[in-house]
Amino acid sequence: MGWVTAGDYEVALDDGKVVCRNAAGRRLKSVPVKLSDDPAVVGLRQLAEWLDRHERQCLADVERWMVRSLPVPLDVLTRVWPDPAWRSALRDLVVTGADGEVAGFLRDADPERGLGLVDLDGDTVRIAPALVRLPHPVLLEDLEELREFAVELGVEQRARQLFREVWHRPAGLDAEATSVEEYAGGAFGELRFLHGRVTQLGYRVRGGYAVCSVREEGHGVEARVWVGDHESYGETETGPLMWTDTAGQVLKLGRIGPVAWSEGMRMAAALYAGRDIEDEERAA
């Protein structure tokens, strides 16, 4: 933590907040009001805001790599690893080899020595694949065992790879159907409430649909849930869940891969969970 002169005081950033100390070196409980417009204080606050946005963007990028099953070049990881925001987002993620087998939990990325991992025996190992795979949890066959092992190791994943909610496609599914009705009919008192929930959950609204884009086996797939457009008034409700290809063509459920299925169901369930429960109880 480096101190910067601000009038008769010194200021610095500590855990994302501006702190202050007087000429005697005693740290104050708060920054004096008269320093609010001091260039040093303003600059540190702007820096804190930028660091916060950067941290959130790094986490979002890592989650996108995982959700879209995007292999990441080793060179990219070794370049970003020294950045604390990137390192925090990547640390302890499960890495798999080219064969899909779990290699271990990510602990280090070095341009000379490659990746440092804790393997499933608890040993530290190093690998140097050209492409690093951060698999979606639905693709991990021994997910429950990995979760238990992660707890034993004290693993804390910011990207929530292992503890992300997953849905598996039912065995008795009608492969010719084109939609899932399980989370349809969730009532919201106003359109803006449902649209606000979409945004809050990190999804986008396009053409009246909440959308979640996934890339699986080289193909783009988009999960969609109808949430109403701005021509709708008053109350609205969630529609059925469906999936489309990049051209907007609705896909049959038998063609939906495990990641697209899980992420679509995750979005639909999260939207439905925000419905107006009181209205349902009154209707019952």
Side-chain angles (χ1 to χ4, degrees), residues 197-214:
R197 184 164 181 79
V198 174
T199 303
Q200 180 186 29
L201 292 169
Y203 301 109
R204 294 176 293 116
V205 177
R206 189 173 68 245
Y209 289 92
V211 298
C212 172
S213 298
V214 175

Side-chain angles (χ1 to χ4, degrees), residues 22-237:
N22 60 20
R26 183 173 63 85
R27 185 160 164 172
L28 308 181
K29 292 183 178 179
S30 61
V31 177
V33 175
K34 64 181 180 180
L35 294 182
S36 297
D37 296 326
D38 187 275
V41 174
V42 172
L44 285 177
R45 284 177 175 157
Q46 290 175 340
L47 176 60
E49 292 172 359
W50 182 89
L51 289 172
D52 181 63
R53 290 195 303 270
H54 175 60
E55 186 174 349
R56 286 186 278 112
Q57 186 60 56
C58 291
L59 181 59
D61 286 345
V62 170
E63 289 183 338
R64 184 166 59 251
W65 295 344
M66 179 185 67
V67 169
R68 297 188 179 182
S69 303
L70 297 174
V72 185
L74 175 61
D75 184 56
V76 171
L77 290 191
T78 59
R79 285 177 180 270
V80 302
W81 189 262
D83 184 330
W86 278 108
R87 190 165 60 248
S88 174
L90 288 164
R91 182 178 170 83
D92 281 331
L93 289 183
V94 171
V95 174
T96 57
D99 58 1
E101 294 295 320
V102 172
F105 295 90
L106 182 60
R107 290 291 173 87
D108 184 39
D110 182 89
E112 301 296 329
R113 298 184 297 164
L115 302 182
L117 309 173
V118 174
D119 67 14
L120 300 187
D121 293 322
D123 298 325
T124 299
V125 298
R126 285 203 172 266
I127 62 174
L131 294 175
V132 180
R133 290 169 171 81
L134 309 171
H136 188 284
V138 78
L139 300 177
L140 297 171
E141 293 183 2
D142 300 321
L143 181 58
E144 290 304 322
E145 289 81 355
L146 284 170
R147 285 173 172 171
E148 292 176 4
F149 188 49
V151 171
E152 292 177 10
L153 287 178
V155 163
E156 294 183 6
Q157 296 180 328
R158 292 204 59 219
R160 292 182 58 81
Q161 179 193 36
L162 289 181
F163 296 95
R164 190 181 188 87
E165 305 92 335
V166 296
W167 277 259
H168 296 276
R169 193 169 57 184
L173 180 75
D174 179 2
E176 296 298 308
T178 57
S179 65
V180 176
E181 304 285 339
E182 185 174 351
Y183 296 111
F188 287 76
E190 294 185 31
L191 177 70
R192 63 188 178 94
F193 295 158
L194 180 49
H195 278 217
R197 184 164 181 79
V198 174
T199 303
Q200 180 186 29
L201 292 169
Y203 301 109
R204 294 176 293 116
V205 177
R206 189 173 68 245
Y209 289 92
V211 298
C212 172
S213 298
V214 175
R215 191 163 185 83
E216 193 163 12
E217 296 183 352
H219 301 288
V221 180
E222 187 172 84
R224 297 184 178 186
V225 173
W226 176 256
V227 293
D229 55 28
H230 290 292
E231 294 182 359
S232 307
Y233 297 97
E235 297 181 358
T236 189
E237 62 181 34

